[in-house]
Amino acid sequence: MQDQSAIKPLVFGFLAAFCWGTHSVIVRYLTGDMQGITIAALRLYIAAAVLFVLMKILHFPVSSRLSDRNLQIAAGSTVVNYICFHIGLEYTSASNAMMLENTAPFFVLLILFLLAGETVRRRDILATLIALFGVFLTVLHDIDVGGEGLHGDLLELAAGLSWAGFIIGSSRALRASASTAERVNFLFNVFICSAIVLTPLMLIYPGSATANDVALLVLLGLFPTALAYYLWYEAASRVSAVSAALLFTLSVICNCSPPL
């Protein structure tokens, strides 16, 4: 039983990473026609709609959790992450974005140690350093150091920091959850709250979309968002916050982006 419980998070994490591996290149393509904020808000609305339909089909309870501190942290971090990530991709490459956002495990360690007062194990530090070094080596040939995309790179670094906040808020909520229904409802709340907050910014920065863009948006909301986050939530509910953050770095292995 222990072996199975150890394997499940890895399976869920790898499947989530496989879905996440496509999102940078899809968003990078969409920014040719649409504003980053518009892409961010629409993918969240699509993902929330997918989860809502799923919950209705499976008869999962749908409830609001606005007073939940962990939800506030997760949703707030998602808003900042999506703003930085999607706007950053207007100025930098998908490979740079993947590498810089994957600094999240490092920020998770810092936040847990400096702000949350939690004990950080040496093996967590070692595993994080190895993962970050592996991410760097994986995308090294595509990195544009000191190029015109510095502004975008800084935004992607901020995306990594805010993603750490999402991981910590979500992990704490998931450890307290007792069922898949609770986890899906929490994720639905994260998506819909974040989308609503982003909507005014989306209206400020309107953009045009082709039929091909709409199709890609649906795919973006379905696979790298709704499905990937659900799978990651199932993994994160079984491991620590640091381990959950490290599972995200697997997305670099599954990244299919060509040099852009």
Side-chain angles (χ1 to χ4, degrees), residues 118-132:
E118 295 188 15
T119 302
V120 177
R121 299 173 299 181
R122 289 183 178 179
R123 65 180 180 180
D124 288 335
I125 297 174
L126 180 60
T128 300
L129 292 176
I130 292 173
L132 291 177

Side-chain angles (χ1 to χ4, degrees), residues 26-161:
I26 293 176
V27 173
R28 188 68 178 88
Y29 177 84
L30 287 171
T31 53
D33 297 323
M34 305 173 65
Q35 295 289 337
I37 295 296
T38 302
I39 299 169
L42 290 179
R43 73 181 286 192
L44 285 168
Y45 274 121
I46 293 169
V50 169
L51 290 185
F52 182 78
V53 171
L54 178 65
M55 287 190 290
K56 288 298 183 181
I57 292 174
L58 297 177
H59 303 291
F60 288 172
V62 182
S63 61
S64 174
R65 305 179 59 170
L66 297 180
S67 61
D68 187 331
R69 180 64 175 171
N70 291 322
L71 173 63
Q72 294 170 3
I73 294 173
S77 297
T78 299
V79 170
V80 176
N81 175 267
Y82 270 50
I83 290 174
C84 294
F85 176 78
H86 291 80
I87 294 180
L89 268 172
E90 296 180 18
Y91 303 99
T92 191
S93 68
S95 295
N96 280 34
M98 290 292 291
M99 184 198 73
L100 293 169
E101 193 178 29
N102 272 281
T103 57
F106 171 74
F107 291 121
V108 168
L109 283 176
L110 282 183
I111 293 172
L112 290 177
F113 180 71
L114 297 178
L115 301 180
E118 295 188 15
T119 302
V120 177
R121 299 173 299 181
R122 289 183 178 179
R123 65 180 180 180
D124 288 335
I125 297 174
L126 180 60
T128 300
L129 292 176
I130 292 173
L132 291 177
F133 184 66
V135 168
F136 174 74
L137 289 180
T138 301
V139 300
L140 178 61
H141 63 288
D142 292 327
I143 296 176
D144 179 21
V145 180
E148 296 179 357
L150 178 60
H151 177 62
D153 290 342
L154 291 176
L155 285 172
E156 296 303 340
L157 189 61
L161 175 58

Side-chain angles (χ1 to χ4, degrees), residues 164-244:
F166 167 82
I167 290 172
I168 292 172
S170 294
S171 294
R172 289 181 171 179
L174 296 176
R175 285 199 296 269
S177 65
S179 65
T180 298
E182 288 184 32
R183 293 190 282 273
V184 173
N185 183 65
F186 184 87
L187 182 57
F188 168 76
N189 275 268
V190 170
F191 284 160
I192 195 65
C193 290
S194 301
I196 291 172
V197 172
L198 286 172
T199 298
L201 293 176
M202 180 181 69
L203 298 177
I204 294 174
Y205 300 103
S208 59
T210 65
N212 190 45
D213 291 336
V214 173
L216 286 175
L217 269 174
V218 172
L219 289 176
L220 184 65
L222 181 59
F223 292 105
T225 313
L227 180 58
Y229 278 74
Y230 161 71
L231 290 169
W232 184 83
Y233 263 38
E234 288 299 309
S237 66
R238 295 167 168 82
V239 296
S240 67
V242 175
S243 297

Side-chain angles (χ1 to χ4, degrees), residues 244-259:
L246 291 173
L247 286 173
F248 176 67
T249 62
L250 291 172
S251 61
V252 175
I253 300 174
C254 301
N255 182 24
C256 62
S257 64

